[in-house]
PDB file of all heavy atoms in Angstrom:
ATOM      1  N   PRO M  48     -13.187   0.756  10.544  1.00 98.00           N
ATOM      2  CA  PRO M  48     -13.402  -0.546   9.904  1.00 98.00           C
ATOM      3  C   PRO M  48     -14.653  -0.607   9.025  1.00 98.00           C
ATOM      4  O   PRO M  48     -14.605  -1.143   7.917  1.00 98.00           O
ATOM      5  CB  PRO M  48     -13.526  -1.507  11.079  1.00 98.00           C
ATOM      6  CG  PRO M  48     -12.856  -0.846  12.222  1.00 98.00           C
ATOM      7  CD  PRO M  48     -12.962   0.629  12.001  1.00 98.00           C
TER       8      PRO M  48
ATOM      9  N   LEU K  52      -1.622 -13.967   3.159  1.00 98.00           N
ATOM     10  CA  LEU K  52      -2.580 -13.199   3.959  1.00 98.00           C
ATOM     11  C   LEU K  52      -3.229 -14.073   5.023  1.00 98.00           C
ATOM     12  O   LEU K  52      -3.378 -13.655   6.176  1.00 98.00           O
ATOM     13  CB  LEU K  52      -3.642 -12.583   3.035  1.00 98.00           C
ATOM     14  CG  LEU K  52      -4.692 -11.710   3.717  1.00 98.00           C
ATOM     15  CD1 LEU K  52      -4.054 -10.513   4.404  1.00 98.00           C
ATOM     16  CD2 LEU K  52      -5.751 -11.258   2.717  1.00 98.00           C
ATOM     17  N   LEU K  55      -0.775 -14.558   7.874  1.00 98.00           N
ATOM     18  CA  LEU K  55      -0.699 -13.371   8.737  1.00 98.00           C
ATOM     19  C   LEU K  55      -1.967 -13.241   9.580  1.00 98.00           C
ATOM     20  O   LEU K  55      -1.921 -12.894  10.764  1.00 98.00           O
ATOM     21  CB  LEU K  55      -0.502 -12.103   7.897  1.00 98.00           C
ATOM     22  CG  LEU K  55       0.800 -12.023   7.095  1.00 98.00           C
ATOM     23  CD1 LEU K  55       0.789 -10.763   6.221  1.00 98.00           C
ATOM     24  CD2 LEU K  55       2.026 -12.021   8.003  1.00 98.00           C
ATOM     25  N   TYR K  56      -3.092 -13.550   8.960  1.00 98.00           N
ATOM     26  CA  TYR K  56      -4.385 -13.479   9.669  1.00 98.00           C
ATOM     27  C   TYR K  56      -4.434 -14.491  10.815  1.00 98.00           C
ATOM     28  O   TYR K  56      -4.865 -14.171  11.925  1.00 98.00           O
ATOM     29  CB  TYR K  56      -5.530 -13.714   8.685  1.00 98.00           C
ATOM     30  CG  TYR K  56      -6.872 -13.847   9.356  1.00 98.00           C
ATOM     31  CD1 TYR K  56      -7.484 -12.743   9.944  1.00 98.00           C
ATOM     32  CD2 TYR K  56      -7.526 -15.078   9.435  1.00 98.00           C
ATOM     33  CE1 TYR K  56      -8.714 -12.858  10.579  1.00 98.00           C
ATOM     34  CE2 TYR K  56      -8.747 -15.210  10.069  1.00 98.00           C
ATOM     35  CZ  TYR K  56      -9.333 -14.094  10.640  1.00 98.00           C
ATOM     36  OH  TYR K  56     -10.538 -14.226  11.280  1.00 98.00           O
ATOM     37  N   ASN K  57      -3.970 -15.692  10.554  1.00 98.00           N
ATOM     38  CA  ASN K  57      -3.984 -16.722  11.603  1.00 98.00           C
ATOM     39  C   ASN K  57      -3.078 -16.360  12.775  1.00 98.00           C
ATOM     40  O   ASN K  57      -3.388 -16.686  13.917  1.00 98.00           O
ATOM     41  CB  ASN K  57      -3.611 -18.085  11.018  1.00 98.00           C
ATOM     42  CG  ASN K  57      -4.751 -18.674  10.211  1.00 98.00           C
ATOM     43  OD1 ASN K  57      -5.922 -18.474  10.532  1.00 98.00           O
ATOM     44  ND2 ASN K  57      -4.426 -19.387   9.136  1.00 98.00           N
ATOM     45  N   PHE K  58      -1.967 -15.689  12.485  1.00 98.00           N
ATOM     46  CA  PHE K  58      -1.114 -15.195  13.573  1.00 98.00           C
ATOM     47  C   PHE K  58      -1.857 -14.169  14.443  1.00 98.00           C
ATOM     48  O   PHE K  58      -1.644 -14.086  15.649  1.00 98.00           O
ATOM     49  CB  PHE K  58       0.139 -14.499  13.017  1.00 98.00           C
ATOM     50  CG  PHE K  58       1.138 -15.403  12.353  1.00 98.00           C
ATOM     51  CD1 PHE K  58       1.852 -14.977  11.233  1.00 98.00           C
ATOM     52  CD2 PHE K  58       1.397 -16.677  12.844  1.00 98.00           C
ATOM     53  CE1 PHE K  58       2.795 -15.797  10.621  1.00 98.00           C
ATOM     54  CE2 PHE K  58       2.343 -17.502  12.240  1.00 98.00           C
ATOM     55  CZ  PHE K  58       3.033 -17.056  11.123  1.00 98.00           C
ATOM     56  N   ALA K  59      -2.704 -13.378  13.805  1.00 98.00           N
ATOM     57  CA  ALA K  59      -3.241 -12.171  14.455  1.00 98.00           C
ATOM     58  C   ALA K  59      -4.640 -12.322  15.034  1.00 98.00           C
ATOM     59  O   ALA K  59      -5.019 -11.567  15.939  1.00 98.00           O
ATOM     60  CB  ALA K  59      -3.246 -11.020  13.455  1.00 98.00           C
ATOM     61  N   LYS K  60      -5.402 -13.299  14.538  1.00 98.00           N
ATOM     62  CA  LYS K  60      -6.789 -13.418  15.022  1.00 98.00           C
ATOM     63  C   LYS K  60      -6.774 -13.824  16.497  1.00 98.00           C
ATOM     64  O   LYS K  60      -5.817 -14.423  16.983  1.00 98.00           O
ATOM     65  CB  LYS K  60      -7.571 -14.418  14.174  1.00 98.00           C
ATOM     66  CG  LYS K  60      -7.111 -15.841  14.328  1.00 98.00           C
ATOM     67  CD  LYS K  60      -7.896 -16.791  13.414  1.00 98.00           C
ATOM     68  CE  LYS K  60      -7.392 -18.221  13.613  1.00 98.00           C
ATOM     69  NZ  LYS K  60      -8.003 -19.173  12.671  1.00 98.00           N
ATOM     70  N   ASN K  61      -7.832 -13.461  17.209  1.00 95.00           N
ATOM     71  CA  ASN K  61      -7.958 -13.786  18.644  1.00 95.00           C
ATOM     72  C   ASN K  61      -6.894 -13.106  19.508  1.00 95.00           C
ATOM     73  O   ASN K  61      -6.649 -13.538  20.628  1.00 95.00           O
ATOM     74  CB  ASN K  61      -7.907 -15.304  18.888  1.00 95.00           C
ATOM     75  CG  ASN K  61      -8.911 -16.056  18.046  1.00 95.00           C
ATOM     76  OD1 ASN K  61     -10.003 -15.544  17.805  1.00 95.00           O
ATOM     77  ND2 ASN K  61      -8.551 -17.243  17.594  1.00 95.00           N
ATOM     78  N   LYS K  62      -6.247 -12.087  18.988  1.00 97.00           N
ATOM     79  CA  LYS K  62      -5.252 -11.335  19.781  1.00 97.00           C
ATOM     80  C   LYS K  62      -5.824  -9.988  20.228  1.00 97.00           C
ATOM     81  O   LYS K  62      -5.104  -9.147  20.749  1.00 97.00           O
ATOM     82  CB  LYS K  62      -3.977 -11.094  18.952  1.00 97.00           C
ATOM     83  CG  LYS K  62      -3.277 -12.357  18.471  1.00 97.00           C
ATOM     84  CD  LYS K  62      -2.427 -12.977  19.556  1.00 97.00           C
ATOM     85  CE  LYS K  62      -1.728 -14.225  19.000  1.00 97.00           C
ATOM     86  NZ  LYS K  62      -1.014 -14.952  20.049  1.00 97.00           N
ATOM     87  N   GLU K  63      -7.097  -9.776  19.941  1.00 98.00           N
ATOM     88  CA  GLU K  63      -7.770  -8.520  20.308  1.00 98.00           C
ATOM     89  C   GLU K  63      -7.091  -7.283  19.719  1.00 98.00           C
ATOM     90  O   GLU K  63      -7.073  -6.204  20.328  1.00 98.00           O
ATOM     91  CB  GLU K  63      -7.874  -8.396  21.838  1.00 98.00           C
ATOM     92  CG  GLU K  63      -8.695  -9.511  22.448  1.00 98.00           C
ATOM     93  CD  GLU K  63      -8.694  -9.498  23.971  1.00 98.00           C
ATOM     94  OE1 GLU K  63      -7.949  -8.683  24.556  1.00 98.00           O
ATOM     95  OE2 GLU K  63      -9.420 -10.301  24.566  1.00 98.00           O
ATOM     96  N   ILE K  64      -6.512  -7.452  18.541  1.00 98.00           N
ATOM     97  CA  ILE K  64      -5.914  -6.324  17.814  1.00 98.00           C
ATOM     98  C   ILE K  64      -6.997  -5.280  17.533  1.00 98.00           C
ATOM     99  O   ILE K  64      -8.097  -5.631  17.132  1.00 98.00           O
ATOM    100  CB  ILE K  64      -5.327  -6.804  16.455  1.00 98.00           C
ATOM    101  CG1 ILE K  64      -4.334  -7.960  16.635  1.00 98.00           C
ATOM    102  CG2 ILE K  64      -4.752  -5.655  15.646  1.00 98.00           C
ATOM    103  CD1 ILE K  64      -3.057  -7.597  17.314  1.00 98.00           C
ATOM    104  N   THR K  65      -6.665  -4.006  17.744  1.00 98.00           N
ATOM    105  CA  THR K  65      -7.647  -2.941  17.466  1.00 98.00           C
ATOM    106  C   THR K  65      -7.327  -2.162  16.183  1.00 98.00           C
ATOM    107  O   THR K  65      -8.215  -1.558  15.591  1.00 98.00           O
ATOM    108  CB  THR K  65      -7.735  -1.934  18.629  1.00 98.00           C
ATOM    109  OG1 THR K  65      -6.444  -1.339  18.828  1.00 98.00           O
ATOM    110  CG2 THR K  65      -8.179  -2.623  19.913  1.00 98.00           C
ATOM    111  N   LYS K  66      -6.043  -2.162  15.761  1.00 98.00           N
ATOM    112  CA  LYS K  66      -5.670  -1.486  14.512  1.00 98.00           C
ATOM    113  C   LYS K  66      -4.457  -2.163  13.892  1.00 98.00           C
ATOM    114  O   LYS K  66      -3.582  -2.657  14.629  1.00 98.00           O
ATOM    115  CB  LYS K  66      -5.321  -0.004  14.767  1.00 98.00           C
ATOM    116  CG  LYS K  66      -6.514   0.909  14.924  1.00 98.00           C
ATOM    117  CD  LYS K  66      -6.120   2.278  15.442  1.00 98.00           C
ATOM    118  CE  LYS K  66      -7.362   3.061  15.891  1.00 98.00           C
ATOM    119  NZ  LYS K  66      -7.060   4.091  16.881  1.00 98.00           N
ATOM    120  N   VAL K  67      -4.401  -2.143  12.570  1.00 98.00           N
ATOM    121  CA  VAL K  67      -3.192  -2.563  11.858  1.00 98.00           C
ATOM    122  C   VAL K  67      -2.465  -1.315  11.388  1.00 98.00           C
ATOM    123  O   VAL K  67      -3.062  -0.444  10.737  1.00 98.00           O
ATOM    124  CB  VAL K  67      -3.517  -3.460  10.647  1.00 98.00           C
ATOM    125  CG1 VAL K  67      -2.268  -3.711   9.814  1.00 98.00           C
ATOM    126  CG2 VAL K  67      -4.124  -4.780  11.105  1.00 98.00           C
ATOM    127  N   GLY K  78      -0.863  -5.183   4.560  1.00 98.00           N
ATOM    128  CA  GLY K  78      -1.368  -4.529   5.765  1.00 98.00           C
ATOM    129  C   GLY K  78      -2.827  -4.093   5.629  1.00 98.00           C
ATOM    130  O   GLY K  78      -3.639  -4.303   6.532  1.00 98.00           O
ATOM    131  N   GLY K  79      -3.143  -3.496   4.501  1.00 98.00           N
ATOM    132  CA  GLY K  79      -4.525  -3.073   4.248  1.00 98.00           C
ATOM    133  C   GLY K  79      -5.471  -4.259   4.196  1.00 98.00           C
ATOM    134  O   GLY K  79      -6.533  -4.255   4.819  1.00 98.00           O
ATOM    135  N   ALA K  80      -5.063  -5.289   3.449  1.00 98.00           N
ATOM    136  CA  ALA K  80      -5.896  -6.493   3.333  1.00 98.00           C
ATOM    137  C   ALA K  80      -6.063  -7.174   4.689  1.00 98.00           C
ATOM    138  O   ALA K  80      -7.129  -7.685   5.019  1.00 98.00           O
ATOM    139  CB  ALA K  80      -5.271  -7.455   2.317  1.00 98.00           C
ATOM    140  N   LEU K  81      -5.010  -7.155   5.494  1.00 98.00           N
ATOM    141  CA  LEU K  81      -5.048  -7.788   6.807  1.00 98.00           C
ATOM    142  C   LEU K  81      -5.988  -7.046   7.755  1.00 98.00           C
ATOM    143  O   LEU K  81      -6.751  -7.675   8.513  1.00 98.00           O
ATOM    144  CB  LEU K  81      -3.623  -7.824   7.382  1.00 98.00           C
ATOM    145  CG  LEU K  81      -3.415  -8.523   8.727  1.00 98.00           C
ATOM    146  CD1 LEU K  81      -3.905  -9.960   8.685  1.00 98.00           C
ATOM    147  CD2 LEU K  81      -1.929  -8.474   9.109  1.00 98.00           C
ATOM    148  N   SER K  82      -5.950  -5.721   7.727  1.00 98.00           N
ATOM    149  CA  SER K  82      -6.842  -4.955   8.606  1.00 98.00           C
ATOM    150  C   SER K  82      -8.292  -5.251   8.253  1.00 98.00           C
ATOM    151  O   SER K  82      -9.138  -5.409   9.134  1.00 98.00           O
ATOM    152  CB  SER K  82      -6.547  -3.455   8.507  1.00 98.00           C
ATOM    153  OG  SER K  82      -7.055  -2.896   7.318  1.00 98.00           O
ATOM    154  N   GLU K  83      -8.561  -5.356   6.952  1.00 97.00           N
ATOM    155  CA  GLU K  83      -9.918  -5.628   6.512  1.00 97.00           C
ATOM    156  C   GLU K  83     -10.362  -7.008   7.003  1.00 97.00           C
ATOM    157  O   GLU K  83     -11.478  -7.189   7.489  1.00 97.00           O
ATOM    158  CB  GLU K  83      -9.962  -5.556   4.972  1.00 97.00           C
ATOM    159  CG  GLU K  83     -11.250  -5.020   4.412  1.00 97.00           C
ATOM    160  CD  GLU K  83     -12.301  -6.089   4.239  1.00 97.00           C
ATOM    161  OE1 GLU K  83     -11.949  -7.247   3.897  1.00 97.00           O
ATOM    162  OE2 GLU K  83     -13.495  -5.774   4.426  1.00 97.00           O
ATOM    163  N   LYS K  84      -9.466  -7.975   6.895  1.00 97.00           N
ATOM    164  CA  LYS K  84      -9.776  -9.352   7.302  1.00 97.00           C
ATOM    165  C   LYS K  84      -9.991  -9.452   8.818  1.00 97.00           C
ATOM    166  O   LYS K  84     -10.823 -10.229   9.284  1.00 97.00           O
ATOM    167  CB  LYS K  84      -8.613 -10.260   6.872  1.00 97.00           C
ATOM    168  CG  LYS K  84      -9.048 -11.661   6.496  1.00 97.00           C
ATOM    169  CD  LYS K  84      -7.951 -12.409   5.779  1.00 97.00           C
ATOM    170  CE  LYS K  84      -8.223 -13.902   5.797  1.00 97.00           C
ATOM    171  NZ  LYS K  84      -9.474 -14.267   5.104  1.00 97.00           N
ATOM    172  N   LEU K  85      -9.237  -8.643   9.561  1.00 98.00           N
ATOM    173  CA  LEU K  85      -9.393  -8.641  11.020  1.00 98.00           C
ATOM    174  C   LEU K  85     -10.585  -7.786  11.466  1.00 98.00           C
ATOM    175  O   LEU K  85     -10.977  -7.844  12.627  1.00 98.00           O
ATOM    176  CB  LEU K  85      -8.114  -8.109  11.685  1.00 98.00           C
ATOM    177  CG  LEU K  85      -6.888  -9.022  11.649  1.00 98.00           C
ATOM    178  CD1 LEU K  85      -5.638  -8.263  12.057  1.00 98.00           C
ATOM    179  CD2 LEU K  85      -7.083 -10.247  12.555  1.00 98.00           C
ATOM    180  N   GLY K  86     -11.114  -6.995  10.528  1.00 98.00           N
ATOM    181  CA  GLY K  86     -12.247  -6.132  10.873  1.00 98.00           C
ATOM    182  C   GLY K  86     -11.853  -4.953  11.743  1.00 98.00           C
ATOM    183  O   GLY K  86     -12.644  -4.451  12.537  1.00 98.00           O
ATOM    184  N   VAL K  87     -10.604  -4.487  11.571  1.00 98.00           N
ATOM    185  CA  VAL K  87     -10.121  -3.329  12.344  1.00 98.00           C
ATOM    186  C   VAL K  87      -9.641  -2.242  11.386  1.00 98.00           C
ATOM    187  O   VAL K  87      -9.496  -2.477  10.182  1.00 98.00           O
ATOM    188  CB  VAL K  87      -8.979  -3.734  13.313  1.00 98.00           C
ATOM    189  CG1 VAL K  87      -9.456  -4.840  14.266  1.00 98.00           C
ATOM    190  CG2 VAL K  87      -7.725  -4.181  12.556  1.00 98.00           C
ATOM    191  N   GLY K  88      -9.362  -1.072  11.926  1.00 98.00           N
ATOM    192  CA  GLY K  88      -8.910   0.030  11.090  1.00 98.00           C
ATOM    193  C   GLY K  88      -7.468  -0.121  10.637  1.00 98.00           C
ATOM    194  O   GLY K  88      -6.688  -0.876  11.223  1.00 98.00           O
ATOM    195  N   LEU K 130      -1.200  -4.067  15.759  1.00 98.00           N
ATOM    196  CA  LEU K 130      -0.389  -4.964  14.945  1.00 98.00           C
ATOM    197  C   LEU K 130       0.383  -4.095  13.947  1.00 98.00           C
ATOM    198  O   LEU K 130      -0.220  -3.350  13.174  1.00 98.00           O
ATOM    199  CB  LEU K 130      -1.273  -5.959  14.196  1.00 98.00           C
ATOM    200  CG  LEU K 130      -0.573  -7.079  13.429  1.00 98.00           C
ATOM    201  CD1 LEU K 130      -1.560  -8.200  13.117  1.00 98.00           C
ATOM    202  CD2 LEU K 130       0.098  -6.636  12.136  1.00 98.00           C
ATOM    203  N   GLN K 158       1.423  -7.272  18.253  1.00 98.00           N
ATOM    204  CA  GLN K 158       2.063  -8.192  17.313  1.00 98.00           C
ATOM    205  C   GLN K 158       2.778  -7.400  16.231  1.00 98.00           C
ATOM    206  O   GLN K 158       2.376  -6.287  15.889  1.00 98.00           O
ATOM    207  CB  GLN K 158       1.034  -9.131  16.664  1.00 98.00           C
ATOM    208  CG  GLN K 158       1.677 -10.258  15.844  1.00 98.00           C
ATOM    209  CD  GLN K 158       0.663 -11.338  15.453  1.00 98.00           C
ATOM    210  OE1 GLN K 158       0.028 -11.256  14.425  1.00 98.00           O
ATOM    211  NE2 GLN K 158       0.537 -12.361  16.301  1.00 98.00           N
ATOM    212  N   SER K 160       4.294  -8.269  12.372  1.00 98.00           N
ATOM    213  CA  SER K 160       4.389  -9.345  11.375  1.00 98.00           C
ATOM    214  C   SER K 160       5.038  -8.871  10.086  1.00 98.00           C
ATOM    215  O   SER K 160       4.881  -7.720   9.671  1.00 98.00           O
ATOM    216  CB  SER K 160       3.015  -9.958  11.117  1.00 98.00           C
ATOM    217  OG  SER K 160       2.173  -9.095  10.408  1.00 98.00           O
TER     218      SER K 160
END
Side-chain angles (χ1 to χ4, degrees):
Chain K
L52 182 61
L55 297 175
Y56 172 70
N57 285 326
F58 291 144
K60 68 182 180 186
N61 307 325
K62 300 280 181 187
E63 298 174 354
I64 305 292
T65 60
K66 281 169 193 156
V67 172
L81 183 56
S82 76
E83 214 274 325
K84 213 167 162 62
L85 288 167
V87 302
L130 187 162
Q158 189 168 89
S160 71

